[in-house]
Amino acid sequence: MDIQEIKDQLKVCFSCGTCSGSCPIFRVNPEKNPRRFIQAVLNSSSSDISVLENFEPLWLCTTCYACEDRCPQGINITTMLVKLKNIAARHGYVPESVKAELETIIANGTTSPPGKSILMRRKKLNLPDLPQPDLPAIQKLIHLTLND
Amino acid sequence: MSESNGRYALFLGCTIPYKLPQLEAATRFVMEKLGLEFVDLPFGCCPDPNGIHSYSEDTWYTLATRNLALAEEQGLDIITLCNGCYETLHYVNQKLKNDAKKLARINSLLTKVNQEYKASISVIHLHEFLHEKIGYDKLSQMIVNPLSNFRISVHYGCHALRPQSIGQPENAEAPQWLWDFVENVIQAEPIHYVDETLCCGAGIREMDQSASFDITKHKIVQMETAGANAITVPCPTCFLQYDGSQKLILREESVGTQITGTPTFYFTELLAIAMGADPKAIGISYHLMKPEPGLLKSSESTSVETSPNEIITVTTGSNPNS
């Protein structure tokens, strides 16, 4: 999906602000304002991704989907914000913590590689050894999807 | 659902087995009591419905479908213990069941690692499973240690309920099952509060800790004001926020004064204790927010003195209220 397709989805927005009123982050950080993101995208030219350059606050979305479920115009707001972040990521605008999360999966297949103390704790709790993921398969799929 | 015959693929996710294994211990205790067989498969990260989904939808879909295919190969439906895993696997599964073109495209990638997904299985969250497949009547008959001195606020978490468009078991604006669980299964007092369905804030902890903690604190203030002495969650990420992050919030003097501190439990921990598990054996001592002495009582010690001449002892195997 490109910016123009996202704009087509957003254009029925009449700025009622239900999305911002529903946003848990907007309550505590006014920079994270879904209605403002929508208006910024609608006001940008369709080929211009500069709208994403200052979109650090966009990554503060927790994908709670409250805005999407409540939008009176039926706009899939959270889904569109995810698609915007996908475009931003392809242009390198991605927070370090998200990059690090992906790197951890590439290295381990999970986001929580087991440490010694946790393995000891599992033993104390009589928990079984767990089958480990097929790391080469996971790495291959990540490579294929990020580089096609 | 396929024909499971009481066998299910247990999708533990990343957080529970390797950060919070005590939640897994409580869950396995409950499942053993229920006579269910959980199969452990070599699943990878679900992956995360926020970070990885936001980074690349293609990567997110493909890794999720790989996990779905692993369960399908064994003819098993998936039970998830984590809201995030539930969101990812249920969302992707529902989309692929209704989009043959997308399924074919994902399969063109999976074939390169010798896998294929036919979209034949179901994904269910453990809390839905206990309500819909086991039933609260049956569960409540297995309670030997009613948690009557608990006053519990439920935090559902967003990804157990939304988006509604993918087919969720409950109304996201007014979910009921976990509240019924508190009142009618483990026999504690439910403590309602204003922003029950609001996010816990964990999703942005890495990017804006201050905003993240503000949201959590806001919710705990409401729970404590309403009279809660415990919080319960169906999600390990929410658990980390109400346990470890709450501990950090309490350490920050400026904000810590607004909450007194409330212990948090994954919902099967409470169920296990109510079913007679020894809190020590299921690892409650690993919690960072320690419950006050006396709040937890294992079935062995559950005798309530009501008057000098009358001792009520709760006996194993029967529900005193049924």
Side-chain angles (χ1 to χ4, degrees):
Chain A
M1 197 174 245
D2 61 23
I3 296 256
Q4 184 55 49
E5 289 169 302
I6 293 170
K7 284 176 76 164
D8 288 344
Q9 296 283 317
L10 299 179
K11 67 187 177 193
V12 293
C13 170
F14 53 57
S15 276
C16 70
T18 300
C19 51
S20 298
S22 301
C23 180
I25 314 305
F26 181 59
R27 286 185 180 212
V28 292
N29 182 345
E31 290 287 303
K32 167 63 176 54
N33 183 338
R35 177 171 61 173
R36 199 178 289 166
F37 291 142
I38 292 170
Q39 292 307 313
V41 173
L42 286 171
N43 291 332
S44 69
S45 78
S46 51
S47 59
D48 180 13
I49 62 101
S50 66
V51 66
L52 298 171
E53 287 175 17
N54 301 316
F55 262 36
E56 191 71 18
L58 184 61
W59 291 88
L60 294 177
C61 172
T62 65
T63 61
C64 77
Y65 288 95
C67 59
E68 176 157 325
D69 278 355
R70 290 175 181 169
C71 175
Q73 290 292 79
I75 302 172
N76 297 328
I77 301 172
T78 313
T79 305
M80 291 305 115
L81 296 184
V82 165
K83 293 194 185 293
L84 277 174
K85 283 182 278 184
N86 272 209
I87 296 170
R90 283 202 291 276
H91 289 85
Y93 304 122
V94 54
E96 288 304 317
S97 61
V98 177
K99 272 189 216 166
E101 185 184 0
L102 185 68
E103 291 302 324
T104 307
I105 296 174
I106 291 171
N108 304 284
T110 84
T111 57
S112 305
K116 235 183 188 173
S117 65
I118 281 292
L119 291 176
M120 293 258 292
R121 190 189 296 185
R122 289 188 64 83
K123 272 218 170 89
K124 271 189 197 163
L125 291 167
N126 292 317
L127 291 170
D129 289 336
L130 297 173
Q132 292 304 302
D134 180 350
L135 194 52
I138 289 171
Q139 289 169 338
K140 190 168 188 174
L141 292 174
I142 291 173
H143 179 77
L144 286 168
T145 49
L146 290 182
N147 298 292
D148 62 355
Chain B
M1 281 253 163
S2 57
E3 196 50 63
S4 292
N5 298 321
R7 291 176 83 236
Y8 295 88
L10 182 64
F11 198 94
L12 290 166
C14 301
T15 305
I16 286 183
Y18 298 128
K19 278 188 179 161
L20 303 166
Q22 61 272 23
L23 278 50
E24 181 183 336
T27 304
R28 289 190 192 270
F29 177 93
V30 168
M31 289 304 146
E32 223 165 87
K33 285 263 176 198
L34 290 169
L36 294 162
E37 189 186 343
F38 272 0
V39 181
D40 295 311
L41 294 173
F43 293 122
C45 181
C46 61
D48 165 18
N50 188 12
I52 303 303
H53 188 193
S54 298
Y55 193 109
S56 163
E57 194 157 62
D58 280 348
T59 304
W60 183 65
Y61 259 92
T62 308
L63 293 184
T65 311
R66 179 190 162 273
N67 285 322
L68 293 167
L70 283 173
E72 187 181 62
E73 283 163 16
Q74 304 297 319
L76 299 173
D77 290 321
I78 288 177
I79 293 181
T80 67
L81 307 191
C82 163
N83 285 5
C85 301
Y86 169 75
E87 175 83 331
T88 289
L89 299 175
H90 179 56
Y91 187 110
V92 168
N93 199 34
Q94 292 299 103
K95 293 285 180 187
L96 294 183
K97 278 178 190 281
N98 295 298
D99 188 342
K101 222 170 122 184
K102 186 147 197 149
L103 179 61
R105 199 167 66 78
I106 304 284
N107 272 328
S108 74
L109 294 166
L110 285 185
T111 189
K112 293 175 183 170
V113 295
N114 300 315
Q115 280 191 294
E116 185 194 4
Y117 185 53
K118 300 184 183 75
S120 70
I121 66 162
S122 294
V123 176
I124 189 167
H125 192 301
L126 180 62
H127 97 85
E128 179 187 355
F129 178 81
L130 291 180
H131 185 273
E132 295 291 276
K133 306 289 176 190
I134 303 297
Y136 284 179
D137 282 348
K138 182 174 176 184
L139 285 182
S140 58
Q141 285 165 18
M142 299 172 79
I143 300 304
V144 296
N145 180 31
L147 303 183
S148 47
N149 51 353
F150 274 76
R151 300 187 303 277
I152 302 176
S153 283
V154 174
H155 171 90
Y156 254 84
C158 311
H159 292 151
L161 301 167
R162 303 184 188 278
Q164 293 270 280
S165 60
I166 57 168
Q168 299 287 12
E170 290 199 85
N171 177 352
E173 302 293 351
Q176 192 56 47
W177 293 348
L178 284 172
W179 291 103
D180 288 347
F181 168 83
V182 165
E183 189 167 9
N184 299 320
V185 177
I186 58 173
Q187 298 165 45
E189 184 185 350
I191 301 293
H192 287 277
Y193 57 103
V194 180
D195 286 314
E196 286 175 5
T197 60
L198 185 75
C199 175
C200 70
I204 56 156
R205 193 171 45 210
E206 297 297 320
M207 276 170 277
D208 186 345
Q209 183 173 290
S210 159
S212 167
F213 284 8
D214 278 353
I215 295 167
T216 314
K217 190 183 65 176
H218 169 84
K219 291 203 61 157
I220 298 171
V221 166
Q222 289 188 350
M223 294 167 178
E224 289 183 350
T225 304
N229 65 2
I231 300 166
T232 196
V233 296
C235 172
T237 305
C238 303
F239 178 91
L240 283 172
Q241 192 72 353
Y242 285 108
D243 192 52
S245 293
Q246 186 182 178
K247 187 98 183 161
L248 291 174
I249 290 167
L250 281 163
R251 272 189 205 155
E252 291 175 27
E253 212 181 345
S254 57
V255 294
T257 50
Q258 294 176 38
I259 58 173
T260 56
T262 302
T264 301
F265 301 88
Y266 186 68
F267 74 118
T268 58
E269 292 182 312
L270 295 176
L271 182 56
I273 293 167
M275 283 178 160
D278 175 358
K280 266 189 201 151
I282 58 166
I284 299 296
S285 54
Y286 294 113
H287 288 207
L288 295 174
M289 294 299 302
K290 306 290 183 200
E292 61 186 70
L295 185 62
L296 294 169
K297 286 182 292 183
S298 69
S299 58
E300 288 82 11
S301 61
T302 305
S303 58
V304 184
E305 195 168 330
T306 52
S307 74
N309 300 320
E310 187 189 5
I311 306 281
I312 297 172
T313 303
V314 178
T315 49
T316 304
S318 68
N319 175 0
N321 289 349
S322 64

